Amino acid sequence: MSTTNFADKLYELLAEKGLNRKQFAEKCGIPYPTVIGWTNLNRLPDYSALMKLADFFDCSVDYLMCRQDDVGNITVVNSLTNDEEKLLTTYKQLTHAQKQAVSKLVESMGDK
């Protein structure tokens, strides 16, 4: 998993454009205090700001949020245990009828 966070990614992109935070805020039309919140207070941008940033830096939102590297590979944080991954892998290999049977079994277990 990457240790890069949004603030680090923003600083990286600003450096590539040769901009400081104030210049960026002015060019992008985002209030300077908002940019400071992103870089100093670990705040995250809202949806509309993410769209502005992606357009400004000509990158994807996934890249901004450190979920995608610069060549397009998606980085997904996996929170599943090994047993859960094994179960899902096995489930994906079942036929449709078998998946329905498993679903019914799981539903019946939840009723108890």
Side-chain angles (χ1 to χ4, degrees), residues 2-107:
S2 172
T3 58
T4 304
N5 64 28
F6 174 75
D8 294 335
K9 184 64 68 180
L10 182 57
Y11 276 123
E12 177 186 311
L13 291 166
L14 290 173
E16 287 176 13
K17 292 251 186 205
L19 298 172
N20 63 36
R21 293 176 299 178
K22 189 162 186 83
Q23 293 167 327
F24 162 72
E26 290 169 0
K27 286 183 179 263
C28 198
I30 294 174
Y32 181 62
T34 300
V35 176
I36 294 300
W38 296 339
T39 56
N40 291 4
L41 303 174
N42 289 326
R43 293 190 176 141
L44 294 174
D46 63 16
Y47 178 79
S48 62
L50 278 172
M51 295 297 103
K52 271 188 180 182
L53 292 167
D55 289 344
F56 184 84
F57 290 114
D58 192 29
C59 65
S60 70
V61 170
D62 277 333
Y63 182 74
L64 287 170
M65 300 308 293
C66 306
R67 291 176 39 92
Q68 180 179 36
D69 63 23
D70 58 355
V71 292
N73 297 318
I74 301 293
T75 305
V76 178
V77 177
N78 189 355
S79 60
L80 298 176
T81 66
N82 287 339
D83 287 341
E84 291 168 332
E85 284 185 26
K86 185 177 174 183
L87 181 63
L88 286 174
T89 299
T90 303
Y91 178 82
K92 289 177 180 179
Q93 295 171 354
L94 299 176
T95 66
H96 179 69
Q98 290 170 324
K99 288 178 182 178
Q100 286 180 321
V102 169
S103 293
K104 286 181 183 179
L105 175 64
V106 171
E107 287 174 16

